[in-house]
């Protein structure tokens, strides 16, 4: 059974640009959540989608957004990139809400 | 949000049982205790979770005290590959949404 797939694995962007990250959940999983991991702040929750609806959002500025498609695949977008957005972005999927979540390998974003 | 407290780091000899403690004194009656681990720069890996009864799976055992204010994750026969950061999480029930609040975790080092 395939795990959570995140693409791309590595990305380098320039300040001011925007970026879109993709997450394909485990087959049959309908909940997708996103996390940001930095050395200073650790793992922080960004948002969660279930059945194409955002159910919960973390404490991040509006530059961070996401969406979920009818096949449960999800994308997150960061606009007007800042140096501080450099991080490992992790996606997790679960069969439904409030069940164990399985993480992908992450996308490492570097903003220069 | 229920908060967890874990030791910053621990060491264990290869082949011995690794016992990782976690305090969650403000846990609510319907909140589960989850354990994840993260091996260097990979996505967190789900280990086990429980509500009030002890749980065991192929990876580990989870012992929850009767008052539910603390728990212990047990890796019965630690190997070098178990070296990782271990996170104890009390799952936040945010209206049914999936949201994991990660603390700093315990850096477990398995020594040969």
């Amino acid at each position: 059974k395939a795990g959570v797939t995140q693409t791309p694995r590595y990305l380098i962007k320039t300040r001011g640009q925007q970026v879109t990250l993709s997450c394909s959940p485990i087959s049959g999983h309908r909940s997708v959540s996103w996390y940001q991991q930095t050395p200073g702040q650790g793992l922080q929750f960004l948002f969660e989608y279930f059945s194409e609806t955002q159910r919960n959002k973390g404490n991040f500025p509006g530059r961070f957004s996401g969406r979920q498609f009818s096949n449960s695949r999800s994308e997150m977008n960061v606009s007007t990139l800042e140096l501080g957005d450099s991080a490992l972005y992790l996606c997790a999927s679960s069969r439904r809400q409030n069940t164990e979540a399985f993480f992908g390998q992450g996308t490492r974003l570097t903003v220069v | 949000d229920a908060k967890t407290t874990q030791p910053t780091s621990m060491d264990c000899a290869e082949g011995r049982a690794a016992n990782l403690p976690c305090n969650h004194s403000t846990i609510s009656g319907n909140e589960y205790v989850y354990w994840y681990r993260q091996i260097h720069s990979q996505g967190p890996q789900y280990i086990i979770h429980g509500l009030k009864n002890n749980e065991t799976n192929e990876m580990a055992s989870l012992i929850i005290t009767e008052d539910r204010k603390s728990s212990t994750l047990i890796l019965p026969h630690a190997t070098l590959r178990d070296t990782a950061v271990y996170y104890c999480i009390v799952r936040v029930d945010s209206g049914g949404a999936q949201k994991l609040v990660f603390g700093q975790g315990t850096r477990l080092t398995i020594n040969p």
Side-chain angles (χ1 to χ4, degrees):
Chain A
K1 192 174 185 181
V4 177
T5 303
Q6 291 188 246
T7 56
R9 289 294 310 278
Y10 302 92
L11 204 51
I12 300 175
K13 288 286 188 179
T14 304
R15 267 184 306 175
Q17 287 186 312
Q18 73 162 13
V19 66
T20 298
L21 311 181
S22 179
C23 173
S24 293
I26 293 171
S27 177
H29 286 195
R30 295 172 61 194
S31 172
V32 174
S33 49
W34 289 88
Y35 295 80
Q36 181 197 64
Q37 185 171 30
T38 60
Q41 299 298 319
L43 271 156
Q44 294 186 288
F45 172 80
L46 277 159
F47 30 64
E48 186 245 351
Y49 287 87
F50 182 80
S51 293
E52 302 178 64
T53 301
Q54 187 180 90
R55 301 286 176 160
N56 202 1
K57 191 175 191 304
N59 189 25
F60 279 83
R63 299 185 297 107
F64 292 81
S65 63
R67 58 178 175 169
Q68 186 180 33
F69 303 96
S70 58
N71 61 359
S72 294
R73 191 177 70 84
S74 177
E75 289 181 347
M76 69 163 282
N77 182 276
V78 188
S79 62
T80 319
L81 284 166
E82 301 176 359
L83 295 179
D85 297 332
S86 294
L88 180 66
Y89 289 89
L90 292 155
C91 165
S93 77
S94 57
R95 187 168 298 279
R96 56 187 182 278
Q97 295 169 305
N98 292 337
T99 57
E100 58 267 30
F102 296 88
F103 285 78
Q105 293 303 299
T107 294
R108 184 163 296 282
L109 171 66
T110 302
V111 182
V112 298
Chain B
D1 298 348
K3 190 175 175 179
T4 63
T5 304
Q6 299 177 253
T8 303
S9 63
M10 293 181 64
D11 285 90
C12 179
E14 189 179 17
R16 304 297 294 270
N19 297 282
L20 292 89
C22 179
N23 286 318
H24 32 79
S25 59
T26 60
I27 191 170
S28 300
N30 60 349
E31 290 181 315
Y32 286 74
V33 179
Y34 279 75
W35 283 84
Y36 283 80
R37 72 181 182 184
Q38 188 174 26
I39 297 170
H40 182 62
S41 293
Q42 296 182 20
Q45 178 187 23
Y46 166 79
I47 301 173
I48 198 168
H49 74 282
L51 182 63
K52 51 185 175 183
N53 297 322
N54 298 337
E55 302 287 346
T56 296
N57 63 20
E58 64 279 2
M59 288 183 67
S61 294
L62 174 60
I63 308 297
I64 302 175
T65 58
E66 192 169 341
D67 63 8
R68 304 211 322 126
K69 293 186 177 181
S70 65
S71 60
T72 301
L73 177 75
I74 302 172
L75 308 177
H77 304 287
T79 71
L80 297 179
R81 287 179 294 182
D82 292 322
T83 293
V85 178
Y86 286 76
Y87 297 98
C88 168
I89 298 165
V90 172
R91 193 196 65 218
V92 177
D93 185 3
S94 302
Q98 176 71 267
K99 176 181 177 181
L100 298 173
V101 180
F102 288 85
Q104 295 306 306
T106 295
R107 184 172 298 277
L108 175 67
T109 302
I110 306 300
N111 300 305

